[in-house]
Amino acid sequence: MSDSEKNFSGSADESSKPPLLVKKKKKSEKPGYKMFDAEDSDDAPVMFDDSVRPSSTKLKKHGRPSFKFSGKIKLKEKEKEDKKDIGDKRDEKGLQKDYYSKTQIPSIVAAEIPVFGVALSLAVERTPSHDGIMLPVIVRECIDYIEEHGLLYEGIYRISGVKSKVQMLKDAYNRQQPAYLFEHDPSIVASLLKQFLRELPEPLLTNDLNSHFEEASVLKTSKERLERLNQCISSLPPCNRELLSWMIVHMNHVIAKV
């Protein structure tokens, strides 16, 4: 057999052998994405850290790689730190709340200077009128408001105002806070003024002179009555005399509009 024939037969022998099966590499899926099994997932793709490789021991044990969620771990650690910070802030707020409840609030309560239920001279001293007139500011503001808005109000001093609103205004004056009388009906303001006069610890005519006023009122002649009443009025304390004169003039205006 010639060399050419040998070469030909050799190539034939090699060609008669079955070809080697070469597995084609499948195109890899996008790195970092994988679907969990139905029992381990919510049917949604989850991103994994590409730098973390599946452990060989866990692969043999479970039949599938175990992935480490480095991003989620960092996120959980951050959430724990945030919760800790929030807890610290809550503790600080709690401490501040206790501090204010023990120190600040009692001082605010102690600073309240009521004008209801105290002597008229003390009410004038605590809340003097804005223009120097010897009246408590509550009396001045109530009379001014009624003179402007309440003289034509039917039964201005006869109809009682809403108790809750009267109490709200009373608290505002006792705390020396602004009382917005224009937001209320004239009957409420009139009830507030009546309550102030009613809660005075001493009558406007004073305990000492009250009997003298009664005696002067029953005198027979008008001349004697006027002289005795003038004597009694001049004997009143200055703040009582001022308030009495304001109330007499104010009531004359109310009667004139009836």
Side-chain angles (χ1 to χ4, degrees), residues 222-236:
S222 58
K223 184 179 179 180
E224 291 178 349
R225 283 197 303 270
L226 289 175
E227 289 177 356
R228 186 69 61 86
L229 288 173
N230 285 331
Q231 291 176 0
C232 294
I233 291 172
S234 61
S235 300
L236 287 171

Side-chain angles (χ1 to χ4, degrees), residues 33 47 61 85 92 111 134 155 176 180-181 183 222 253:
Y33 291 88
M47 182 178 287
K61 185 176 179 180
D85 294 339
E92 291 175 1
M134 201 174 295
Q176 298 187 13
Y180 303 104
L181 300 181
E183 296 180 352
S222 58
H253 293 167

Side-chain angles (χ1 to χ4, degrees), residues 2 8 33 53 74 99 106 111 128 130 159 174 181 216 220 230:
S2 62
F8 179 79
Y33 291 88
R53 301 297 180 185
K74 291 179 180 179
Y99 171 77
H130 60 277
I159 300 174
N174 277 334
L181 300 181
K220 294 181 179 180
N230 285 331

Side-chain angles (χ1 to χ4, degrees), residues 75-90:
L75 181 60
K76 288 182 178 179
E77 291 177 354
K78 188 175 183 305
E79 288 178 354
K80 288 181 180 179
E81 291 177 358
D82 293 342
K83 288 180 180 179
K84 185 178 179 182
D85 294 339
I86 293 172
D88 296 339
K89 290 178 181 178
R90 286 177 181 173

